[in-house]
Amino acid sequence: GIQVEQSPPDLILQEGANSTLRCNFSDSVNNLQWFHQNPWGQLINLFYIPSGTKQNGRLSATTVATERYSLLYISSSQTTDSGVYFCAASNTGTASKLTFGTGTRLQVTL
Amino acid sequence: GAVVSQHPSRVICKSGTSVKIECRSLDFQATTMFWYRQFPKQSLMLMATSNEGSKATYEQGVEKDKFLINHASLTLSTLTVTSAHPEDSSFYICSAIRRGFYEQYFGPGTRLTVT
């Protein structure tokens, strides 16, 4: 099956800083999503982005499918951005069935 | 829109008993629901895929007789952990997708502790 790797594994930022999280995948994908898991365990759907670029407020994401990577940008980080960011991908006939990466644990400090 | 609930949020049970976890899509019909397991500081591991009205498809290594999944309607799927043991203690999370879409929407999770 597809392999999904994320970097960095851990990241500490001061409030207001910008950051880039990376997701590499081992094969072509027909589904790629970014999620944020808050400290209470709830996963929030950030982007569905198998290709191209999307923006939502301070967050944006870009997937370069031909080069098998996706980037999540967080600008002007806030303490509420803390948590774990997961990238998940699929390359199967069941495009909704996702393989999750290992995550990037983000801590934003004052 | 796309809200998924899970009940209970937290459960403690004794070894040998069974526990049922409910996953509901509140404002949409979920053609497919997924069940995941997450250990502390680890990623999500898919346990099974549940389609309404049909048998669940389990991932390799997941005991289907131990983790019973029923997708009785387009808004409800249940996971029953039978004869629970301490090693079954974990965070169980469900997700759901709408017909024709690929985005998964997650429930808040259920923390199971088996004593």
Side-chain angles (χ1 to χ4, degrees):
Chain A
I2 193 169
Q3 307 296 314
V4 181
E5 295 180 353
Q6 293 184 242
S7 60
D10 296 281
L11 187 58
I12 300 175
L13 298 175
Q14 267 200 317
E15 196 171 43
N18 303 327
S19 63
T20 301
L21 282 57
R22 187 176 179 102
C23 171
N24 292 328
F25 39 92
S26 60
D27 205 346
S28 58
V29 297
N30 51 17
N31 185 357
L32 188 132
Q33 296 180 43
W34 283 96
F35 300 93
H36 174 222
Q37 186 171 37
N38 67 22
W40 297 271
Q42 173 76 62
L43 279 103
I44 304 298
N45 198 323
L46 298 177
F47 293 105
Y48 166 72
I49 188 165
S51 64
T53 297
K54 290 186 178 180
Q55 181 161 3
N56 185 2
R58 295 182 296 104
L59 302 181
S60 63
T62 295
T63 298
V64 184
T66 53
E67 297 187 20
R68 301 181 185 172
Y69 72 89
S70 183
L71 302 174
L72 178 69
Y73 304 98
I74 304 174
S75 64
S76 304
S77 58
Q78 300 176 358
T79 55
T80 52
D81 295 331
S82 296
V84 184
Y85 289 81
F86 288 106
C87 165
S90 173
N91 68 342
T92 68
T94 310
S96 57
K97 182 177 161 182
L98 295 171
T99 297
F100 277 73
T102 49
T104 292
R105 187 171 300 273
L106 173 65
Q107 182 180 353
V108 181
T109 61
L110 292 172
Chain B
V3 178
V4 178
S5 70
Q6 260 184 262
H7 179 80
S9 57
R10 191 177 291 266
V11 58
I12 301 172
C13 71
K14 292 191 175 182
S15 190
T17 61
S18 296
V19 174
K20 180 185 282 189
I21 302 169
E22 290 188 351
C23 176
R24 293 182 184 272
S25 56
L26 298 185
D27 54 359
F28 66 99
Q29 292 186 330
T31 51
T32 302
M33 288 183 170
F34 300 90
W35 287 95
Y36 295 86
R37 185 173 182 177
Q38 186 180 33
F39 290 107
K41 298 194 184 301
Q42 293 190 21
S43 187
L44 279 73
M45 289 180 50
L46 180 65
M47 298 175 66
T49 302
S50 167
N51 291 299
E52 187 265 340
S54 62
K55 289 185 178 180
T57 303
Y58 291 82
E59 294 301 299
Q60 193 170 8
V62 177
E63 300 175 59
K64 61 181 180 181
D65 294 331
K66 180 168 188 60
F67 298 100
L68 301 179
I69 292 172
N70 183 23
H71 195 153
S73 74
L74 284 172
T75 60
L76 173 65
S77 177
T78 60
L79 168 68
T80 301
V81 183
T82 62
S83 187
H85 290 99
E87 57 266 29
D88 298 324
S89 298
S90 190
F91 191 53
Y92 292 88
I93 313 172
C94 73
S95 71
I97 61 171
R98 296 174 292 179
R99 188 189 303 274
F101 294 87
Y102 291 147
E103 294 98 313
Q104 288 192 29
Y105 296 92
F106 284 81
T110 296
R111 193 162 304 280
L112 170 63
T113 303
V114 185
T115 61

